[in-house]
C-alpha cells in the first residue's frame, strides 16, 4: 500500500511550506518545492511582510516534530507580557499568564525560514526552486503551471500530489474558485483597518531603547501601535489604523507634519523613540488585514491547501505561524494512520483541522477589539487582574482564554474558544452584577467562575448554539 | 440638486429588478432594464427555479409602496401553518402564529414577476430589454457590457448609475471581485445539501390532493420534503437532501427503483400523491443551496448591488423575495432623504440595510436545521406549544422568533434575530431545567420568558457579544 517513492510538489517555501518539506523529507518522500520569491538566504526580501512574529507553544509542537528546538531557541526573544503605554507615556506590564513558565517569543520571520530551508535541503530527497511563480493548478490532472520570474519561461510540473502552502493569495485556491468544478465555499473578509510597519532602531551601543521582554501596545480605542523586539536591539513597530474613519486615518496622513502631529498627540513616548518615523512612514507600504476561510481544502487525493492558503487570519492573536505549524503536526498525525491513501488523508485532515482554524480566525478578530480597545477599559482590567490571580494561585486548575489559546497546545483552538469565551462572559457578568470582585477570596472566585462557565456552556448547548 | 432626468440602468428584470424599475419610474427617473432571459410573459422559463415562493409581510411592504396590493392578493394562497407529515403519514398542523390574522402566502414567481413587468412598462420612462446578458460592469466609468443571447452581438451601455439586481450570480459583483480595485469582502457558503423540485399534480377535477392552506413538511432529521400550493390545484414539492452523506443521497439516487424505495420508506404518503415522481426526479435538475454576503455593495455613486446579488440566502425562512422587496422599500426611504446624491444614497442604504440582510442569511441557515430536524423533537414541540399559547393569549405582548421575522415588518431582521434567539434560548433552557412547563399558568410563563430573555440579552451585551 505504502509507496514512499511518491513525488510531492509543494507550492511555496515560506514558513509552512519549508517545515512541511522538511517533515515529509524526514518521512522519506521525494519533495520538490517551488517558491515565487528569490532565496531569502541570499536576498533581503522582507519589504511589506512582518519582520518578526509571535512564536509560542503550538508553533513549537511543529519545531519539536522535526527536532529543531535547540536551533530555534537562540532565535527567540521571550515576551512575558503586554506592556501597555498610555497617552502620557505611563506604562504597565500585564503578564500573559499567572504561570511564570508561560510566555510567548518574538522571532525573526527570515531567520526562522532560513533555518527551515537549510534543514530541509540537508535531505537528498528535497529540491527547492526559487523565483518560480505558480499561476494555476490543474487539480484534475495534478499538475501545476509555473512562470520563471527571472526569464519569464513557463513550464508545467506533474506530481503524485500537490500541497499548496502559497499563502493568503494562493494560486491553488484561486484555481478551485475560478474553475467552478465543485461547490467551493470561500470567504475573504477585510477589516476597515490597514497596517504599516515602522521601527524603533537600537541604541548606538546596540541596546534596546525600551523594555526588551514584552510586546508593547499603545491601545487607543479605534487604533493602536504595537512593537516586538528583534535580536539586533531594534523593535518592529506596527501601526493599525482605519483607512478612512476617525480624525486621523491612512487616507489623510499624507504629510510629515500631520504624521508627527498624530504621533505627538497619541503616542508621544513612542515618537521619542522613533526619530526615523517620517521616513519609515512614507517608505513603507500600507497593507490590508484580511481573513480567508474556505472548504474543501482538498480535491480528491490530488491537491491540498495548507497554512495561510487554507486559512489566512489577522495577526492579533499572534497565531498565524503557530496555526500553520500546527497544521503540519496534525497532518503528520493523520499520515501516521492513513499513509498511502491521499484522499483519505486529505479528507481526515480537513475534518480534524478545519473547526480549529475557523476558531482561531474568529479569535484573532476578537483580539483586534481586545487589544485596541478593551485592554484600556476598567472592567476588562479587573477581569485580567482576577485571571492572573487565578492562574497564579491555581496553576493546574485555571487557564484564561489567552492561555487556553496560546499555552494549552494539547487542546484545539475551537475548544479553547468555546471555553475561553464562556469564561470571559461569566467573569464579566459576575463583575458587572457585583457577584464577584477582585478583592474576594480567590478560592471563592474560582468556584463561582467554574460554576457559571459550566452553566453558560450548558445553556448554549441546550439552545442548539455552537 | 435634484435631476430626475437621470438615466438609471437596472441589470436583471427578476422580482427585485422589476419592482425597483416600477418604483423608480413612479419617482420620475428614466429607467432602462436589461434581462438575460427571454420575456417570461411570452415563454415558459421556469425550469430550474422555484415555481412558487413564500410571500409575507415584509414583501408586502414593497407591494404597498407601488400600490399593487389589490392586484397581488388574487395571486396569493394563504398558508396558516406548517403541516407536518410523519413516516406513517400522520399529519399535524402547527400554526405560524397564535394570531389568526398572521399567515404567509404561496405565490407564483412567474405570475408576480409578470404583473410587476406589466406595471413597470405602463410607464413611458421605463424600457425593458430581454435576452441581453450582462458580462461585466466597468464601475469606474459606469458602463455595462452586454451580449445579446439571440444574435450574439455585443454592446456597451452608459448610465448615470447602474443598479444590479441580477441575482446570486451577479455580473457586477463578479466585476467587483475580479477587478481588485478596492477591498471587497465576499463570501459564498454552500450547504452540503442540494434541492430538487418535484410536483403533486391537481385532482382530475382541479382540486387539491392534500390540504391546501399549509406549507407541508416531511421532516426527517437529515433531509426533508416540503410542498407549497399553486392556484391550479398542484403543489410544488422540493426535496432537500445531502449530495453524498447518509444512506440515500443525490449521488446514489440514480435509478427509478432506488428513488421509489427511498420515498416508500421515508415519505409513503407523499409518494401516493406523486405517481409522476420518477419522471420529475430524473427530468429536473439538482441545484445547490448557497449563501452570498459581500461588502461594499456600491462603488462610489456609480454602481449598487441590490437583492440576491448583494445577499443571496437559502430558502428555509421563506424570506428571499421578501428581503429583496424590503430592499426596495429601504432604498426608497433613503431616496426620500438624499435624492440627488447617489454616493450618499448608496452609502446610507448599505449602512442601514446590511446588518439586516446578514441577519436573515443566518436565520435562514438556522431554519434549515429547525425544519428538517428540530420540528420533530419533543423539547422544540413543547416550546412551540408554549409560544402558540403566548401569542394567542397575549397577542400584543408576545411574538415568537418566527413571528418577529415574518410578521413584525416594522423591526429589522437583526433585531428580530437577536430577540428571537434570546427568547428561544430562554424557553428551551427553562423547559430543560424544569423552571417552566407547558401546563403552567400562561401569565407566569410570559413573565418568566420575558425576564429570562432580557437577562440573556443583557449578559451578551456585557460580554461584548453581538
Amino acid at each position: 500500500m505504502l509507496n514512499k517513492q511518491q513525488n510531492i510538489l509543494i507550492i511555496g517555501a515560506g514558513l509552512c511550506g519549508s517545515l512541511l518539506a522538511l517533515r515529509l523529507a524526514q518521512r522519506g518522500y521525494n519533495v520538490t518545492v517551488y517558491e515565487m520569491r528569490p532565496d531569502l538566504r541570499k536576498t533581503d526580501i522582507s519589504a511589506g511582510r512582518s519582520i518578526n512574529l509571535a512564536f509560542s507553544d503550538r508553533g513549537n509542537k511543529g519545531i519539536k516534530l522535526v527536532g529543531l528546538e535547540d536551533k530555534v531557541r537562540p532565535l527567540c526573544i521571550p515576551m512575558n507580557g503586554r506592556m501597555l503605554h498610555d497617552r502620557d507615556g505611563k506604562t504597565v506590564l500585564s503578564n500573559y499568564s499567572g504561570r511564570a513558565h508561560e510566555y510567548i517569543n518574538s522571532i525573526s520571520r527570515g531567520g526562522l525560514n532560513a533555518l527551515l530551508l537549510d534543514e530541509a535541503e540537508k535531505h537528498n530527497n528535497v529540491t527547492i526552486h526559487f523565483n518560480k511563480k505558480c499561476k494555476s493548478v490543474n487539480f484534475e490532472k495534478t499538475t501545476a503551471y509555473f512562470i520563471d520570474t527571472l526569464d519569464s519561461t513557463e513550464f508545467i510540473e506533474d506530481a503524485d500530489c500537490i500541497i499548496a502552502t502559497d499563502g493568503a493569495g494562493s494560486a491553488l485556491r484561486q484555481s478551485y474558485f475560478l474553475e467552478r468544478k465543485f461547490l467551493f465555499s470561500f470567504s475573504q473578509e477585510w477589516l476597515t483597518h490597514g497596517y504599516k510597519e515602522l521601527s524603533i532602531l537600537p541604541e548606538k551601543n546596540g541596546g534596546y531603547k525600551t523594555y526588551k521582554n514584552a510586546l508593547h501596545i499603545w491601545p487607543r480605542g479605534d487604533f493602536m501601535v504595537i512593537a516586538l523586539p528583534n535580536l539586533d536591539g531594534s523593535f518592529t513597530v506596527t501601526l493599525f489604523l482605519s483607512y478612512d474613519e476617525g480624525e486621523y486615518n491612512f487616507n489623510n496622513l499624507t504629510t510629515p507634519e500631520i504624521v508627527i502631529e498624530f504621533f505627538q498627540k497619541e503616542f508621544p513616548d513612542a515618537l521619542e523613540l522613533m526619530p526615523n518615523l517620517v521616513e519609515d512612514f512614507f517608505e513603507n507600504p500600507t497593507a490590508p488585514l484580511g481573513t480567508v476561510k474556505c472548504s474543501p481544502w482538498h480535491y480528491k487525493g490530488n491537491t491540498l491547501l495548507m497554512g495561510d492558503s487554507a486559512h489566512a487570519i489577522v495577526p492579533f492573536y499572534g497565531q498565524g505561524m503557530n496555526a500553520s505549524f500546527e497544521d503540519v503536526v496534525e497532518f503528520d498525525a493523520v499520515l501516521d494512520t492513513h499513509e498511502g491513501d491521499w484522499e483519505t488523508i486529505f479528507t481526515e485532515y480537513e475534518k480534524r483541522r478545519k473547526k480549529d482554524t475557523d476558531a482561531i480566525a474568529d479569535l484573532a478578530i476578537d483580539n483586534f477589539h481586545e487589544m485596541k480597545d478593551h485592554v484600556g477599559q476598567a472592567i476588562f482590567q479587573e477581569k485580567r487582574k482576577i485571571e492572573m490571580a487565578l492562574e497564579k494561585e491555581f496553576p493546574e486548575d485555571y487557564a484564561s482564554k489567552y492561555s487556553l489559546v496560546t499555552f494549552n497546545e494539547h487542546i484545539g483552538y475551537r475548544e479553547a474558544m468555546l471555553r475561553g469565551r464562556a469564561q470571559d462572559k461569566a467573569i464579566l457578568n459576575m463583575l458587572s452584577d457585583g457577584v464577584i470582585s477582585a478583592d474576594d477570596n480567590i478560592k471563592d472566585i474560582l468556584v463561582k467562575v467554574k460554576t457559571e462557565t459550566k452553566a453558560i456552556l450548558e445553556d448554549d448547548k441546550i439552545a442548539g448554539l455552537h
Side-chain angles (χ1 to χ4, degrees), chain A residues 176-300:
Chain A
Y176 283 174
F177 184 85
L178 295 177
E179 293 284 321
R180 299 175 186 230
K181 291 196 175 158
F182 55 93
L183 293 179
F184 185 56
S185 291
F186 167 74
S187 73
Q188 63 181 30
E189 301 286 336
W190 302 101
L191 294 185
T192 52
H193 285 54
Y195 74 96
K196 187 187 280 287
E197 287 188 349
L198 308 164
S199 57
I200 296 171
L201 299 177
E203 301 272 18
K204 275 178 189 159
N205 65 9
Y208 292 85
K209 280 190 184 164
T210 183
Y211 181 61
K212 175 184 174 185
N213 293 111
L215 192 156
H216 295 261
I217 311 184
W218 289 256
R220 295 296 179 267
D222 286 331
F223 49 90
M224 67 171 166
V225 160
I226 68 169
L228 278 76
N230 296 310
L231 288 172
D232 66 359
S234 69
F235 289 82
T236 302
V237 177
T238 311
L239 166 65
F240 296 94
L241 180 68
S242 174
Y243 280 101
D244 53 14
E245 291 180 346
E247 187 183 351
Y248 299 95
N249 57 54
F250 278 122
N251 288 351
N252 70 24
L253 290 179
T254 52
T255 66
E257 292 71 29
I258 194 164
V259 170
I260 300 259
E261 175 189 306
F262 174 49
F263 272 73
Q264 188 65 60
K265 186 172 164 192
E266 298 289 348
F267 315 107
D269 61 331
L271 178 60
E272 259 181 55
L273 306 177
M274 294 194 283
N276 49 308
L277 170 67
V278 167
E279 200 182 319
D280 282 353
F281 195 94
F282 291 102
E283 267 186 10
N284 293 345
T286 305
L289 295 158
T291 300
V292 172
K293 294 178 183 172
C294 64
S295 180
W297 290 343
H298 70 102
Y299 182 76
K300 298 181 179 169

Side-chain angles (χ1 to χ4, degrees), chain A residues 18 38 56 61 72 75 79 84 175 208-209 271 274 286 308 327 335 342 355 362 375 402 423 431 447 452 455:
Chain A
S18 53
S56 53
K61 282 195 291 184
V72 168
L75 303 177
M79 299 184 291
L84 305 177
S175 293
Y208 292 85
K209 280 190 184 164
L271 178 60
M274 294 194 283
T286 305
D308 285 1
D327 280 1
L335 272 179
W342 290 116
K355 65 182 187 318
D362 296 345
V375 293
Y402 189 88
Q423 227 165 238
L431 279 172
V447 171
E452 185 63 17

